[in-house]
Every structure is written in structure tokens, then in C-alpha cells.
Amino acid sequence: MVNYRDILHRLALGGEVTQEQLAELVTLASETRVLDYARGLAREVRTEWYGNRVIVRGLVEISNRCSGGCYYCGLRAENDKVARYELSEEEILDSCRAGYALGLRSFVLQGGERRNVTDSVARVVGLIKDEMPDVAVTLSLGEQSKQTYEQWRGAGADRYLLRHESATPSHYATLHPERMRWEERVECLRVLGNLGYQRGAGFMVGTPGQSVEMLAHEVEFVRELRPEMVGIGPFIPQSDTPFGGMPRGDVATTLMMLAMVRIALPKALMPATTALATTATNGTLIGVLSGSNVVMPNITPLKYRDSYAIYDGKKSSGTESAEGLERLAEELWSIGYEVTLGRGDHPDFVEKQ
Ligand code: 5AD
């Protein structure tokens, strides 16, 4: 067996690690001893910056309308089986107010990718910031023009989540229709960085056709891009999509990827994703025990939650929701972690606020 400890420590120190070595580590996710070692080191590395704190962000799914065509996602424009909705400005504000009353100071407004929402989103961000100046607002609304990103930033948005989905252009092309281009997505991430956003990239584990080498390349990609946030979750099929019959991503491999990315980016904000919670028993807890330091309870009005069906069986209640926040906090406490409700900025951005 390769010297996995040595490779992981070099990754932690920012040293030279080859793609072959990273691929070996990914393959060794099935070896409990190796996975446990990687997860242990990931926890150690995250403790340096975050102690035992887990940051909470309230997630508002503002609309499931989408012009995108991602083959894996139930919200793709071509899916006519999903009931489309769009929260009103008042509903978005009320969701944040309710979250604020619970103590949350970080909100994510997430939705499908659409043009023509530039002004309405800018408006609602401004209203949230006026009323609750001490919160951080994260947007996650897909690829947009530089002007749009600029306007949203000007309105007060602090962060932007745009998973790159795959660091391998040829793989990206098999997950998306022609009209979606890897180069454009990566360009968006560059633009977002230049505009002063804290950026979130990310990818799925186990998408159809994804190889171990591609997963190794994911680690190389984030080492280079250095996004402030990284979302990683297993692929889960959604029955009304072209990938509906494909197998799910593997949990052990997902945990290994979480651990490796945490080791590579000690300061990053990394959610224990809903996809992981949906796939694995105690998914949130095992995510946190693999280096995750963020949880994102859903604070969308209840009546809309089932419609945000990006994959089958998506959890939106229990400890994945604001209603379950207290229980989530207790569960995390039982494994030695403490929920915190601040803005949760990336360490490099704390001074800048
Ligand atoms: N399984 C897992 N994750 C998915 N996403 C979209 N569809 C799926 C799926 N079927 C992820 C994508 C997207 C994020 C919002 O959710 O990575 O960027």
C-alpha cells in the first residue's frame, strides 16, 4: 500500500502531491483504516481554524424555476413534472425574519438559474440588509452576467455559491447540454472572486462516468482555485431526469473527498450537504466528522419544500430544517461539536467586513 499518511500530510502542508497519489487515496476510501486516518487528520486541520464550532446558514429556496438543463437535476428546464414556484419578496423576507428570530445571522438564497431576476434579487438583498444589517447574505442562482453579479454585490450580497460540478471539462460536457460550457462556469467563478465575493465551488461524487482520476483532479482544482467554500455531496438520481436510472454516489468516497479537500483547504467553509444527509444514516454527523464545518437547515416556507426536488428523497425536514435546529445542535454536541450562529465569514474575510 502507498504511504497514505505521507501523502495526506504533504497535502496538509501544501506540498507536492501527484494526481496518481491523490487517485490512490480516493481508491483507498474503501479501506476503513485509511479513511479513518484521513478523516482524523481533516478534523485536526479544521480544529486549528474553527475549533469545534459548526456554523449554521439558513437556506431559503427562493424559486425552483430554471433555464438550465443539467442532466442530473430535477429542476432542469426540460422537466415538466415539477410544480414550479417562486417566493414573493415578502415570503423571502419572512423566512429570513423567522431565521433571524431563531438567532441565525447567515442566509443563503438559492434558486434555479434564470435571467431577468437581476433587479428583483438586488431589491430583496437590499431589503434584508436594511432590516438585518448584521447578517451575511449568500446567493446561489447559477451563472449570470458580470453586470448582474456586480449589481448583487452592490446591493449587499457577501457570498456566492456556484459549484463547478466537475473540474474535468470532458466530464462536465457529459453532465450538461451543449448550451452549458465549462469555460463559462469557471469564468463566472473568476468574476465572482474579482468582485470580492466569498466564493463557493463544489462537485458531486459518483456522477455517471466519473473516474477516480477525475476525483483526484477535483482536489488539484480546488488547491489551485482556493474557493472560500466547497460543497461536496454524493450524486443521487432523480427519476424525471436523464440520469434517473443511474446508481448513487458512494458514501465512503464522498467522505474521503470531504476529508481530502478539508486537508487541502484548512480555512474553507464546507457544508455537510443535504445530499449526504439524504444518503447516509447520520449523514450530517459523519460529514462533520470528515471535516465539514457548516450545516444549512432549510428555512423555506413548508408548503414549497417538496417542490425543490433536485434529487429523489431529498430531506427538508427533521435536522435538515430550522424546526430541527435544536435537535441538530444536540446531536452535534453529543459528538463534541458546538453550533454557532454568527455570520460565519471565511477567516480571510473577517477583517474586511
Ligand atoms: N444529486 C446530488 N446533487 C445534486 N445537485 C443537483 N442535482 C443533484 C443530484 N441529482 C447538486 C449540484 C448543484 C447543487 C445545487 O445540487 O451540485 O450545484
Side-chain angles (χ1 to χ4, degrees):
M1 194 187 285
V2 292
N3 189 343
Y4 60 87
R5 289 193 175 91
D6 180 55
I7 303 172
L8 288 165
H9 284 276
R10 257 181 298 137
L11 194 57
L13 295 171
E16 167 112 29
V17 182
T18 66
Q19 198 192 1
E20 290 69 36
Q21 290 170 324
L22 293 169
E24 288 270 10
L25 289 179
V26 177
T27 311
L28 290 171
S30 56
E31 298 274 342
T32 314
R33 194 161 40 108
V34 181
L35 181 59
D36 285 352
Y37 189 84
R39 295 173 73 210
L41 185 60
R43 291 197 293 276
E44 220 172 282
V45 161
R46 69 85 87 184
T47 304
E48 227 168 281
W49 285 97
Y50 293 98
N52 68 340
R53 294 185 296 281
V54 176
I55 292 155
V56 183
R57 296 185 193 135
L59 174 66
V60 190
E61 293 164 335
I62 63 172
S63 172
N64 65 357
R65 295 184 202 280
C66 190
S67 59
C70 310
Y71 297 147
Y72 44 83
C73 182
L75 303 189
R76 62 200 303 269
E78 293 81 354
N79 181 12
D80 53 19
K81 295 225 172 97
V82 59
R84 303 288 172 168
Y85 73 87
E86 185 173 347
L87 299 194
S88 67
E89 192 173 282
E90 221 28 57
E91 285 174 313
I92 297 172
L93 274 167
D94 277 343
S95 305
C96 295
R97 287 180 185 126
Y100 196 91
L102 285 173
L104 304 190
R105 295 296 179 266
S106 174
F107 299 114
V108 181
L109 310 187
Q110 188 160 69
E113 177 171 300
R114 281 180 307 155
R115 306 284 162 262
N116 73 33
V117 291
T118 304
D119 292 338
S120 57
V121 169
R123 219 183 109 81
V124 80
V125 170
L127 291 170
I128 293 169
K129 285 287 196 161
D130 281 347
E131 194 176 319
M132 298 167 258
D134 54 338
V135 305
V137 173
T138 303
L139 297 177
S140 179
L141 299 163
E143 293 176 34
Q144 303 286 346
S145 68
K146 176 163 183 275
Q147 289 71 21
T148 296
Y149 287 147
E150 220 163 10
Q151 193 179 329
W152 290 348
R153 179 88 183 109
D158 301 277
R159 311 180 188 144
Y160 204 95
L161 305 177
L162 182 72
R163 289 192 180 176
H164 59 283
E165 311 296 0
S166 171
T168 307
S170 60
H171 185 54
Y172 186 91
T174 67
L175 304 179
H176 303 96
E178 270 297 308
R179 66 178 188 275
M180 297 178 70
R181 300 243 153 238
W182 185 84
E183 291 74 13
E184 286 172 19
R185 201 156 187 95
V186 173
E187 173 63 12
C188 283
L189 282 166
R190 200 186 61 78
V191 168
L192 288 163
N194 290 341
L195 289 170
Y197 281 98
Q198 297 173 52
R199 295 178 293 180
F203 55 88
M204 289 169 283
V205 175
T207 39
Q210 186 183 55
S211 65
V212 166
E213 287 70 29
M214 289 175 194
L215 285 170
H217 186 48
E218 291 301 338
V219 179
E220 294 184 312
F221 182 84
V222 296
R223 278 187 108 186
E224 171 98 29
L225 182 71
R226 310 202 77 75
E228 284 73 32
M229 306 174 275
V230 189
I232 302 170
F235 162 73
I236 305 171
Q238 205 283 352
S239 35
D240 304 316
T241 64
F243 289 170
M246 301 293 182
R248 284 185 178 219
D250 175 63
V251 172
T253 309
T254 305
L255 300 182
M256 181 58 109
M257 292 307 298
L258 274 175
M260 288 168 74
V261 170
R262 159 60 64 210
I263 292 166
L265 299 179
K267 300 189 227 176
L269 291 147
M270 299 179 57
T273 53
T274 304
L276 182 58
T278 301
T279 304
T281 316
N282 291 323
T284 305
L285 303 185
I286 61 176
V288 167
L289 291 172
S290 307
S292 289
N293 59 344
V294 176
V295 291
M296 293 173 64
N298 198 318
I299 60 170
T300 311
L302 277 168
K303 62 177 174 181
Y304 300 112
R305 283 197 203 161
D306 287 346
S307 301
Y308 207 84
I310 50 184
Y311 44 78
D312 290 338
K314 176 168 161 279
K315 278 197 175 178
S316 60
S317 59
T319 47
E320 282 300 300
S321 66
E323 303 81 70
L325 188 56
E326 219 164 305
R327 215 185 86 210
L328 177 64
E330 280 165 18
E331 287 181 11
L332 286 166
W333 183 248
S334 77
I335 59 163
Y337 288 86
E338 188 177 4
V339 158
T340 96
L341 297 171
R343 284 174 50 101
D345 287 296
H346 184 277
D348 294 351
F349 281 74
V350 171
E351 294 303 315
K352 296 188 190 166
Q353 296 309 322

